């Protein structure tokens, strides 16, 4: 029997958000719980959220879940260093059992954001979409014809490629959480923005403070943001030259930086092979809801 409603759960570092979508993509029920550090408690919270939403829509639903990590294809285990409760657990199989065997799909949170925007968000109507999450970390996903593209490994960790075309003003390579040095993830993330400002000014300043200072006309903060946009553009050109997407959608907390989209689009021409970039750029239209929406759309069959 075709299910009318789809449930999506977005597991973050501190909270779990859930929503039920109808066939038209409208959120008809929502739930929220803290993300526990203990695995059995995490399974229990997922079960509670599913039961709550199914109780509201009065139907057994398909369930999709986005996690801050990825599933190792050969083992089915999670690699999620920022969520200890999930690390090295066979989460998908064990949660499916906990949910009584109902349909379940689990994938990376960047996958969910990109899928959400490709199905009915900023990239609606575009066939090849690359989604970029810029926040505490940096990640990405490729969607083609409203389907997440995966291959032999089951993930595309663009954020852990080396930062390209490093120039003196970009600062020194910073060690990444993955153990390597100089990753995109460590360079154009929130911590990367703070590091860039300290490199340029010698001052410890948070990303939020840098934005506030820029809005007040502070020259140093404005210069840091402008340079950061140029660095972000370099990383986007890697995507353009490897994948040639119709659109790149930017989500995550840094997607709200003033002028980010326009500056990245402008500066990307300086690094693209021909100097001409037809790829469109957009900011995720569903904002924080992209994660749960994309998780639900994992059942967009």
């Amino acid at each position: 029997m075709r299910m009318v409603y789809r449930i999506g759960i977005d597991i973050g570092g501190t909270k779990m958000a859930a929503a039920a979508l109808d066939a038209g993509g409208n959120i008809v029920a929502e739930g929220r719980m803290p993300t526990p550090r203990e695995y059995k408690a995490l399974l229990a919270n997922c079960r509670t959220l599913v039961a709550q939403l199914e109780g509201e829509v009065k139907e057994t639903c398909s369930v999709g879940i986005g996690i801050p990590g990825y599933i190792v294809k050969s083992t089915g285990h999670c690699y999620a260093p920022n969520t200890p409760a999930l690390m090295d657990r066979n989460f998908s199989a064990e949660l499916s059992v906990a949910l009584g065997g109902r349909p379940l799909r689990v994938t990376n949170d960047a996958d969910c954001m990109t899928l959400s925007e490709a199905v009915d968000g900023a990239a609606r109507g575009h066939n090849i979409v690359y989604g970029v999450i810029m926040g505490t970390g940096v990640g990405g996903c490729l969607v083609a014809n409203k389907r997440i593209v995966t291959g032999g490994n089951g993930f595309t960790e663009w954020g852990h490629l080396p930062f390209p075309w490093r120039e003196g003003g970009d600062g020194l390579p910073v060690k990444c959480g993955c153990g390597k040095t100089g990753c995109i993830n460590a360079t154009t993330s929130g911590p990367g923005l703070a590091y860039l400002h300290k490199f340029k000014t010698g001052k410890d300043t948070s990303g939020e403070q840098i934005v506030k200072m820029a809005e007040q006309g502070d020259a140093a903060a404005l210069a840091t943001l402008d340079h950061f946009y140029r660095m972000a553009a370099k990383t986007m050109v890697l995507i353009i030259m490897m994948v040639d997407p119709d659109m790149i959608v930017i989500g995550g907390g840094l997607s709200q930086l003033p002028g980010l989209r326009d500056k990245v689009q402008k500066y990307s021409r300086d690094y693209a092979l021909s100097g001409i970039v037809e790829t469109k750029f957009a900011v995720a239209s569903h904002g924080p809801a992209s994660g749960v929406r994309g998780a639900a759309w994992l059942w967009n069959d």
Side-chain angles (χ1 to χ4, degrees), residues 107-108 111-112 114-115 141-144 146-150 294 298:
T107 192
N108 177 263
D111 295 0
C112 292
T114 310
L115 183 60
C141 168
L142 176 64
V143 167
K146 300 180 184 178
R147 297 287 186 274
I148 296 169
V149 177
T150 58
L298 290 173

Side-chain angles (χ1 to χ4, degrees), residues 21-290:
L21 270 60
D22 65 15
N26 303 298
I27 293 178
V28 296
E30 294 182 273
R32 188 178 295 263
M33 295 186 79
T35 301
R37 294 186 64 83
E38 203 272 325
Y39 182 60
K40 288 184 179 178
L42 181 64
L43 293 175
N45 281 9
C46 289
R47 191 169 58 244
T48 298
L49 287 167
V50 170
Q52 174 194 329
L53 298 184
E54 288 188 338
E56 292 189 43
V57 301
K58 296 178 172 55
E59 180 182 305
T60 299
C61 306
S62 62
V63 179
I65 298 184
I67 64 171
Y70 62 88
I71 307 295
V72 179
K73 199 169 184 179
S74 59
T75 65
H77 287 203
C78 295
Y79 178 79
N82 295 325
T83 310
L86 285 172
M87 193 66 176
D88 203 32
R89 297 283 190 170
N90 199 333
F91 177 60
S92 183
E94 292 171 10
L95 180 58
S96 180
V97 172
L99 293 176
R102 64 170 36 72
L104 176 68
R105 290 175 181 169
V106 180
T107 192
N108 177 263
D109 52 5
D111 295 0
C112 292
M113 183 279 289
T114 310
L115 183 60
S116 172
E117 295 299 322
V119 171
D120 63 356
R124 186 173 189 169
H126 295 280
N127 289 331
I128 303 176
V129 180
Y130 200 93
V132 169
I133 285 185
M134 294 178 65
T136 304
V138 174
C141 168
L142 176 64
V143 167
N145 299 317
K146 300 180 184 178
R147 297 287 186 274
I148 296 169
V149 177
T150 58
N153 297 296
F155 64 90
T156 52
E157 283 294 337
W158 154 84
H160 291 284
L161 291 175
F163 175 75
W165 300 296
R166 185 176 293 275
E167 300 167 285
D170 297 339
L172 300 173
V174 177
K175 189 165 186 179
C176 181
C178 71
K180 296 184 175 62
T181 299
C183 293
I184 291 170
N185 179 68
T187 308
T188 55
S189 57
L193 174 60
Y195 165 76
L196 179 65
H197 192 70
K198 184 174 182 178
F199 176 78
K200 291 174 129 349
T201 67
K203 298 177 181 178
D204 283 309
T205 314
S206 71
E208 287 185 0
Q209 290 174 313
I210 294 167
V211 172
K212 287 180 181 177
M213 290 164 57
E215 289 173 344
Q216 294 167 1
D218 182 88
L222 286 166
T224 295
L225 282 180
D226 190 68
H227 195 115
F228 185 76
Y229 298 155
R230 180 171 288 279
M231 292 170 68
K234 294 179 184 181
T235 71
M236 305 290 175
V237 170
L238 288 183
I239 299 168
I240 292 168
M241 293 202 294
M242 289 192 302
V243 178
D244 192 22
D246 299 310
M247 175 173 279
I248 294 176
V249 181
I250 305 171
L254 295 185
S255 68
Q256 301 303 311
L257 288 174
L260 171 70
R261 188 201 68 171
D262 293 339
K263 285 293 184 73
V264 166
Q265 182 136 18
K266 174 184 175 183
Y267 291 147
S268 64
R269 301 186 190 108
D270 294 338
Y271 300 95
L273 187 61
S274 65
I276 299 172
V277 175
E278 301 289 353
T279 305
K280 295 180 175 63
F281 288 80
V283 172
S285 62
H286 291 304
S290 285

